[in-house]
């Protein structure tokens, strides 16, 4: 047996490394989720920017932007956009699309920006990753501190009630010839996804872990952060939020 075939890569190999800083930096993360619906994402951005009535050439921050699919489209709509993410690999890939009004930078969302933005978007459940609740609160405070006086922020999170109710415990998803074995469960106030697969004779294991934050959890944190919650929607068409039926929990605040 070759050395490569015996190796198991895990996002817990290094004690000080968080699951998201390792998993999001692998090419396999992008392979597994490559089928994400760009049309749906663009429809959401159309609806959101129309609802917020953003001024022409507004400064927009896409926080936890990944490879920049939302940021790129927002820039195409005419906004001056910064995409920020902790993953150096994702930012390197996203930066290939940079232009005079579209830039990308490596950034920890717990830290405020010196620049002020007319809108800050945190999209596609890119919140609740941290082990410590104080870090989630710090992220909210950093978002608030990075807004201009008339700016708005948006968090697009999963509706945990609906997710837990419809959770698929196990499935195999084949993408680009790789069989991803997925296990999902709820434990200790978090939603877990265990991801196991093999590629080129090497076995891999990763774990996604997101805090199961409800609307009430967000309301409590926002109150503590001095944030004013303006509106709540339940899907990308901006329909009213329903606790048990809505697919998303979309929070508009300042």
């Amino acid at each position: 047996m070759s050395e490569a075939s015996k190796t198991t890569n895990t996002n817990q190999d290094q004690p000080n490394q968080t699951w998201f800083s390792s998993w999001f930096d692998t090419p396999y993360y992008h392979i597994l989720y490559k089928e994400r619906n760009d049309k749906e994402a663009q429809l959401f951005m159309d609806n959101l920017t129309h609802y917020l009535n953003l001024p022409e050439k507004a400064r927009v921050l896409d926080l936890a932007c990944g490879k920049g699919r939302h940021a790129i489209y927002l820039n195409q709509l005419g906004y001056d956009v910064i995409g920020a993410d902790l993953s150096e690999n994702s930012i390197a890939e996203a930066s290939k699309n940079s232009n005079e009004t579209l830039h990308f930078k490596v950034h920890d969302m717990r830290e405020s920006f010196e620049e002020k933005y007319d809108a800050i978007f945190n999209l596609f459940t890119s919140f609740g990753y941290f082990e410590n609740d104080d870090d989630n609160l710090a992220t909210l405070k950093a978002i608030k501190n990075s807004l201009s006086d008339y700016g708005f922020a948006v968090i697009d999170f999963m509706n945990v009630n609906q997710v837990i109710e419809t959770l698929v415990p196990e499935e195999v998803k084949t993408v680009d010839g790789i069989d991803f074995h997925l296990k999902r469960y709820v434990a200790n106030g978090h939603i877990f996804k265990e991801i196991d697969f093999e590629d080129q004779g090497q076995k891999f294991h990763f774990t996604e872990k997101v805090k199961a934050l409800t609307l009430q959890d967000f309301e409590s944190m926002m109150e503590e952060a001095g944030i004013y919650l303006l509106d709540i929607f339940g899907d990308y068409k901006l329909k009213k939020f329903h606790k048990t039926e809505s697919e998303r929990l979309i929070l508009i605040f300042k």
Side-chain angles (χ1 to χ4, degrees):
M1 183 181 289
S2 70
E3 193 61 33
S5 66
K6 292 191 288 185
T7 303
T8 298
N9 274 18
T10 174
N11 47 1
Q12 289 156 339
D13 284 345
Q14 301 175 38
N16 295 325
Q17 191 171 36
T18 57
W19 70 263
F20 48 87
S21 63
S22 53
W23 170 226
F24 290 167
D25 247 351
T26 74
Y28 298 108
Y29 169 79
H30 299 287
I31 291 171
L32 177 59
Y33 295 116
K34 69 184 295 183
E35 85 299 338
R36 284 176 171 170
N37 191 325
D38 283 340
K39 285 187 178 178
E40 184 181 57
Q42 291 174 5
L43 174 66
F44 181 33
M45 294 301 95
D46 289 341
N47 291 334
L48 201 52
T49 53
H50 179 73
Y51 167 81
L52 294 175
N53 195 24
L54 292 180
E56 191 177 350
K57 298 181 180 177
R59 286 181 56 77
V60 177
L61 170 63
D62 182 4
L63 189 61
C65 67
K67 287 188 175 181
R69 67 185 183 130
H70 291 102
I72 292 164
Y73 184 67
L74 286 163
N75 181 243
Q76 290 170 357
L77 292 178
Y79 302 115
D80 187 347
V81 181
I82 293 282
D85 200 281
L86 193 63
S87 167
E88 293 182 9
N89 287 349
S90 291
I91 290 299
E93 189 66 30
S95 293
K96 295 175 182 177
N97 301 283
S98 297
N99 59 50
E100 286 185 4
T101 55
L102 176 63
H103 300 92
F104 295 92
K105 62 166 60 175
V106 176
H107 183 85
D108 188 320
M109 65 168 61
R110 291 167 289 190
E111 298 173 4
S112 302
F113 283 79
E114 289 183 17
E115 305 92 341
K116 302 295 181 185
Y117 296 93
D118 300 307
I120 298 176
F121 297 154
N122 177 253
L123 305 168
F124 211 74
T125 309
S126 299
F127 193 93
Y129 295 161
F130 300 111
E131 196 66 40
N132 191 327
D133 288 341
D134 289 342
D135 288 326
N136 292 323
L137 181 62
T139 300
L140 284 178
K141 289 179 178 178
I143 291 173
K144 179 178 183 284
N145 293 338
S146 303
L147 283 172
S148 66
D149 290 342
Y150 301 101
F152 297 96
V154 179
I155 289 179
D156 160 35
F157 200 67
M158 60 182 165
N159 176 13
V160 297
N161 299 303
Q162 194 262 358
V163 167
I164 292 171
E165 185 67 28
T166 59
L167 204 66
V168 178
E170 293 190 33
E171 69 172 314
V172 178
K173 198 171 178 181
T174 303
V175 188
D176 290 358
I178 300 173
D179 294 332
F180 292 93
H181 296 260
L182 310 176
K183 291 184 179 180
R184 301 179 182 89
Y185 57 92
V186 181
N188 302 319
H190 291 77
I191 297 173
F192 288 82
K193 184 190 290 182
E194 303 278 356
I195 304 160
D196 289 278
F197 57 95
E198 190 171 330
D199 186 39
Q200 299 179 11
Q202 190 170 349
K203 292 182 178 179
F204 294 86
H205 173 80
F206 291 97
T207 303
E208 292 182 7
K209 176 183 177 183
V210 182
K211 181 95 172 174
L213 295 165
T214 64
L215 172 57
Q216 289 71 30
D217 293 326
F218 275 107
E219 287 173 335
S220 297
M221 280 193 295
M222 287 179 172
E223 186 175 352
E224 189 171 348
I227 283 170
Y228 183 56
L229 182 57
L230 298 167
D231 223 333
I232 306 160
F233 298 113
D235 65 16
Y236 292 147
K237 295 178 181 177
L238 303 188
K239 292 182 181 175
K240 185 178 177 181
F241 176 73
H242 189 284
K243 184 178 177 180
T244 57
E245 295 173 11
S246 294
E247 294 180 1
R248 309 299 299 169
L249 172 61
I250 299 168
L251 306 161
I252 317 287
F253 59 95
K254 63 183 304 177

